[in-house]
């Protein structure tokens, strides 16, 4: 399960999506998320599916690698579907005791499941095709107008970049600690909820110690290199929009126009 988490991981490939400016991918991801909530019929979600499938093909990231990240939200997906089916009032299609499944609940459960899955896949494409440094630079440039309001944009972008960079490192560390504890006889699978929580203590304690140690080492390294945030910092690779970025913006605007049109027409 630990290895199934794809958030924060980067998949190197020579694709059009990889070559796009990080600002374009950030804006595109936000636009896709907005479209997922604009669509409310299965016809609309078919359009979103075609668009998402096209992005996956252009990214050249293996489909299995992208869908592997859905395993981590499987339980959340089941809970969402279950409660939407039984708690939504409407025409009853199946009943067992006090549990009633309604037609409207099935539709709402399907809609919520599609939205949740597409949100994860859409976000995964952005992180899999963009390095943490690129995400930092893109986010900082997009939020630069907030500097006039005395918002520490650079510090916020740096914290997000460090957090994304630490995700795969901590996952690898968790996997190593878990294997070491299993070799010593620890059991993370069996037992009730309370017992499982107790069994997690031998895993969480060394993981927190390792995380604090890595954070301290990173802070010392940054101080030793005289790092300080601010607007006067330069970039080794300045961000510049190219023709492909303008084309991507046109495609995204057209896609959002279709989503808004579907919403207005009730499709």
């Amino acid at each position: 399960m630990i290895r199934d988490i794809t958030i924060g991981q980067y998949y190197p490939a020579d694709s059009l999506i990889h070559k796009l400016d990080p600002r374009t991918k950030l804006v595109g991801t936000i636009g896709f998320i907005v479209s997922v909530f604009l669509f409310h019929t299965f016809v609309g979600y078919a359009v979103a599916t075609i668009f998402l499938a096209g992005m996956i093909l252009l990214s050249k990231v293996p489909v299995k690698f992208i869908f592997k990240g859905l395993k981590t939200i499987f339980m959340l997906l089941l809970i969402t579907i279950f409660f939407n089916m039984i708690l939504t009032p409407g025409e009853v299609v199946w009943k067992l005791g006090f549990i009633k499944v309604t037609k409207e609940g099935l539709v709402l459960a399907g809609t919520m499941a599609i939205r949740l899955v597409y949100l994860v896949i859409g976000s995964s494409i952005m992180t899999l095709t963009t390095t943490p440094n690129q995400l930092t630079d893109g986010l900082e440039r997009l939020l630069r107008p907030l500097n006039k309001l005395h918002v520490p944009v650079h510090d916020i972008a740096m914290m997000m970049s460090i957090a994304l960079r630490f995700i795969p490192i901590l996952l690898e560390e968790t996997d190593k600690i878990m294997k070491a504890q299993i070799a010593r006889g620890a059991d993370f699978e069996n037992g009730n909820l309370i017992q499982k929580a107790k069994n997690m203590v031998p895993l969480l304690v060394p993981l927190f110690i390792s995380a604090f140690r890595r954070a301290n080492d990173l802070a010392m390294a940054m101080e030793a290199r005289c790092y300080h945030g601010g607007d006067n910092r330069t970039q080794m690779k300045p961000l510049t929009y190219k023709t492909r970025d303008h084309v991507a913006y046109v495609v995204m605007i057209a896609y959002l126009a279709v989503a808004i049109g579907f919403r207005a027409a009730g499709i």
Side-chain angles (χ1 to χ4, degrees), residues 2-3 168-188 199-214:
I2 295 297
R3 297 184 181 273
I169 295 175
L170 292 179
L171 291 177
E172 182 180 357
E173 191 75 19
T174 302
D175 189 54
K176 291 180 180 179
I177 296 174
M178 185 176 292
K179 289 181 178 178
Q181 296 294 355
I182 292 175
R184 293 179 174 87
D187 185 5
F188 298 103
N199 292 338
M200 293 297 292
V201 175
L203 173 65
L204 295 177
V205 172
L207 180 62
F208 274 104
I209 294 175
S210 175
F212 284 121
R213 184 185 298 115
R214 288 181 181 274

Side-chain angles (χ1 to χ4, degrees), residues 137-200:
D137 295 340
L139 185 62
E140 185 176 356
R141 289 291 297 273
L142 286 176
L143 299 179
R144 180 171 292 179
L146 295 179
N147 283 328
K148 297 181 179 180
L149 301 177
H150 304 287
V151 176
V153 173
H154 177 79
D155 296 337
I156 294 174
M158 179 59 66
M159 286 188 293
M160 293 186 64
S161 173
I162 293 174
L164 287 173
R165 187 183 296 271
F166 263 63
I167 289 175
I169 295 175
L170 292 179
L171 291 177
E172 182 180 357
E173 191 75 19
T174 302
D175 189 54
K176 291 180 180 179
I177 296 174
M178 185 176 292
K179 289 181 178 178
Q181 296 294 355
I182 292 175
R184 293 179 174 87
D187 185 5
F188 298 103
E189 300 294 336
N190 301 319
N192 54 32
L193 186 61
I194 297 177
Q195 187 61 38
K196 287 183 179 181
K198 291 181 179 179
N199 292 338
M200 293 297 292

Side-chain angles (χ1 to χ4, degrees), residues 5 37 43 45 56 58 75 80 91 93 98 103 137 164 175 216 244 249 256:
I5 300 177
F37 288 96
V43 177
Y45 288 124
I56 294 175
L58 290 176
M75 288 303 300
T80 301
E91 180 183 349
V93 296
F98 65 92
K103 180 180 179 181
D137 295 340
L164 287 173
D175 189 54
N216 184 62
R244 54 176 174 262
Y249 274 121
L256 284 176

Side-chain angles (χ1 to χ4, degrees), residues 99-119:
I99 298 178
K100 299 180 181 179
V101 178
T102 63
K103 180 180 179 181
E104 290 76 8
L106 291 173
V107 174
L108 183 59
T111 301
M112 296 302 295
I114 292 174
R115 287 177 176 176
L116 185 59
V117 170
Y118 281 17
L119 287 177

Side-chain angles (χ1 to χ4, degrees), residues 10-102:
Y10 173 72
Y11 187 90
D14 184 19
S15 72
L16 178 62
I17 304 297
H18 282 76
K19 295 177 182 178
L20 288 176
D21 191 283
R23 292 170 293 177
T24 305
K25 286 184 274 190
L26 284 167
V27 174
T29 301
I30 295 173
F32 178 74
I33 292 174
V34 171
S35 73
V36 170
F37 288 96
L38 286 176
F39 290 125
H40 60 284
T41 64
F42 290 105
V43 177
Y45 288 124
V47 176
T49 302
I50 296 173
F51 181 82
L52 187 60
M55 295 300 102
I56 294 175
L57 291 176
L58 290 176
S59 69
K60 295 184 180 180
V61 178
V63 177
K64 291 183 179 180
F65 193 83
I66 294 177
F67 279 85
K68 185 173 66 173
L70 295 177
K71 294 181 181 179
T72 57
I73 65 166
F74 181 71
M75 288 303 300
L76 177 61
L77 192 61
L78 287 181
I79 293 173
T80 301
I81 293 174
F82 176 75
F83 281 105
N84 276 285
M85 286 192 304
I86 67 173
L87 296 180
T88 304
E91 180 183 349
V92 178
V93 296
W94 184 79
K95 181 178 180 181
L96 178 63
F98 65 92
I99 298 178
K100 299 180 181 179
V101 178
T102 63

